[in-house]
Amino acid sequence: MRGEEVRDIVEDSSRADLFGPTQAAGGRMPRMPTPFEIAEVLGKRVIGQRDAIEEMSVALAKKLEGVRTGHILMIGSSGTGKTTLMRGVEEYLASDPKLASRSTVVRLHANVLGEEAERGRPGEAVLHRLLERSREQLGADASWDAVLDRARRGLVFVDEVDKIRSRVGDRPNVAGIRAQEALLTLIENEAIPLRRPDWAGGGVQTVDSSGLLFVCAGAFEGLYDAVFDRVTVGRDKGALQAVTVVEGGQVREELQFSLQEWLRNEDLFEYGMSPQFLSRFDAVVLLEDLTVEELVRIFLESPDSGLQQSKEYFATYGKELVLSPAAVRAIATEATRQPRLGARALKEVFRRVIRRWELDPAQSVPGAALVLDTEQIEQALTH
Ligand SMILES: Nc1ncnc2c1ncn2[C@@H]1O[C@H](COP(=O)(O)OP(=O)(O)O)[C@@H](O)[C@H]1O
Ligand SMILES: [Mg+2]
């Protein structure tokens, strides 16, 4: 038996200890969910966004199986579900002890990385958070080795990653550059110096972080316009050809642009993400702008929708809040008029509608139910 093989077996059996009995160790491993099963759960929380859900689910399934998987970059306008997807994954993992015992998750704002990189060693802040989480999960009696081993195989969500662009306009953004460097140090690095926390006796040791999975997300505001300009009037002028559309007997020329189709790595470089940083991501997934139908579903189904809150509030007065399907659609349609807010516009629109009744439910709702139809919605939105 060659040395390499021996090492492989040793590594496998150490994994078996950490993960409980495995087939190899003669026991039965609890079956891990398939990507399909994970996607089904996440799809209840995140409406639409199939590409992002599928990519995330496959990565997570691999992670839970202890298989290596590539890092993911999610790009999507504000309010399209990026943070919701990350939270969905956190909740999913926390909901089942079998899954929770195989994953330590942290979610942080990219901005924090820049601030912390200015103070400490790059990347250390992320590791410290992972260590904290992993110790919370394992208990204060767990050994340093156990805590560290779990932490360095964690899942790291970096939200608002577009905020760490290396320049804003023509000016360099030093905090952003530092933060990207900090992340770079962490992604796929086998020897990161880490200061051990006091409870672990202090001192510095090197840590292998190549088992971490990074999922970064950002709105990249302005990217859509920049790419559109590149293929219409900019460097690649003429690349996007107008197509002839026949509609109602009328013939016209139309530019059909989709970011998905035209986005290139160079667009992200120009946006201010360094080539080294980008090259760490195997998958770049785009979240779509939400359709009226999807907004309707979010409004009705989302646990943090303004509708649910309001229903609860009226219930405290013993009154039921009911919206007709047409009323819901009117609210969703109004929300699409503020595309920059995505699904967040639903809340804003609904506040404008419902405020007058919420002010004094005992007076404003004489019966047992407040029933809103399009008429009330239109009236509320135009006054
Ligand atoms: N695809 C979606 N599915 C379900 N809810 C969504 C979706 N997109 C946005 N929302 C809702 O809109 C709000 C903002 O969504 P969030 O995920 O924070 O957006 P962002 O993409 O800016 O991170 C949340 O209240 C969330 O419930
Ligand atoms: Mg967000």
Side-chain angles (χ1 to χ4, degrees), residues 173-189:
N173 174 25
V174 179
I177 297 170
R178 288 225 181 92
Q180 283 187 52
E181 280 167 1
L183 269 183
L184 259 178
T185 336
L186 268 184
I187 304 183
E188 281 161 21
N189 190 336

Side-chain angles (χ1 to χ4, degrees), residues 4-16:
E4 251 172 45
E5 286 170 348
V6 173
R7 206 184 55 223
D8 280 347
I9 289 170
V10 169
E11 278 178 5
D12 273 356
S13 64
S14 71
R15 220 171 7 232

Side-chain angles (χ1 to χ4, degrees), residues 116-366:
E116 289 181 345
E118 281 174 33
R119 279 178 249 136
R121 291 161 210 267
E124 205 169 48
V126 176
L127 284 176
H128 277 152
R129 267 166 217 245
L130 281 162
L131 287 164
E132 248 168 63
R133 277 297 293 137
S134 130
R135 191 155 182 246
E136 273 165 31
Q137 290 174 311
L138 291 170
D141 295 337
S143 73
W144 163 249
D145 283 345
V147 171
L148 177 63
D149 198 78
R150 202 189 158 105
R152 63 183 184 79
R153 283 181 288 113
L155 170 54
V156 184
F157 285 122
V158 182
D159 210 348
E160 319 259 338
V161 75
D162 50 334
K163 303 295 183 311
I164 58 168
R165 59 202 293 194
S166 57
R167 28 170 208 287
V168 179
D170 293 334
R171 306 187 38 189
N173 174 25
V174 179
I177 297 170
R178 288 225 181 92
Q180 283 187 52
E181 280 167 1
L183 269 183
L184 259 178
T185 336
L186 268 184
I187 304 183
E188 281 161 21
N189 190 336
E190 287 171 9
I192 302 177
L194 171 76
R195 260 178 308 190
R196 269 196 297 264
D198 289 341
W199 65 266
V204 176
Q205 85 176 77
T206 54
V207 171
D208 178 358
S209 72
S210 55
L212 293 176
L213 171 59
F214 283 85
V215 176
C216 300
F220 293 85
E221 207 180 318
L223 183 65
Y224 184 99
D225 289 345
V227 178
F228 182 80
D229 285 353
R230 172 170 66 73
V231 298
T232 50
V233 294
R235 201 168 54 241
D236 300 330
K237 187 175 169 183
L240 180 66
Q241 295 283 332
V243 290
T244 308
V245 183
V246 186
E247 207 175 62
Q250 301 264 320
V251 181
R252 60 192 165 81
E253 298 278 291
E254 195 178 274
L255 286 175
Q256 293 177 350
F257 174 78
S258 90
L259 184 61
Q260 174 95 50
E261 195 180 335
W262 292 101
L263 180 69
R264 304 283 175 269
N265 262 344
E266 70 202 38
D267 297 311
L268 291 167
F269 301 159
E270 275 165 31
Y271 194 87
M273 308 315 283
S274 81
Q276 298 91 313
F277 180 74
L278 282 173
S279 69
R280 297 294 203 276
F281 295 90
D282 286 15
V284 176
V285 280
L286 300 187
L287 284 88
E288 302 285 336
D289 287 347
L290 297 159
T291 63
V292 172
E293 287 71 26
E294 286 165 341
L295 288 171
V296 163
R297 283 192 59 201
I298 292 170
F299 185 67
L300 293 174
E301 296 170 26
S302 169
D304 59 355
S305 147
L307 177 62
Q308 304 304 336
Q309 287 172 13
S310 201
K311 277 180 184 259
E312 282 164 26
Y313 172 67
F314 282 104
T316 64
Y317 284 86
K319 295 179 190 291
E320 195 190 354
L321 170 63
V322 183
L323 273 76
S324 74
V328 171
R329 208 181 158 82
I331 288 172
T333 306
E334 177 73 12
T336 59
R337 292 177 49 185
Q338 306 178 66
R340 291 163 78 88
L341 294 183
R344 283 198 189 89
L346 286 170
K347 289 192 179 147
E348 188 277 322
V349 172
F350 187 58
R351 291 309 314 148
R352 269 194 279 150
V353 170
I354 204 69
R355 192 180 301 130
R356 64 192 59 196
W357 284 286
E358 284 192 345
L359 195 59
D360 190 0
Q363 288 294 317
S364 63
V365 188

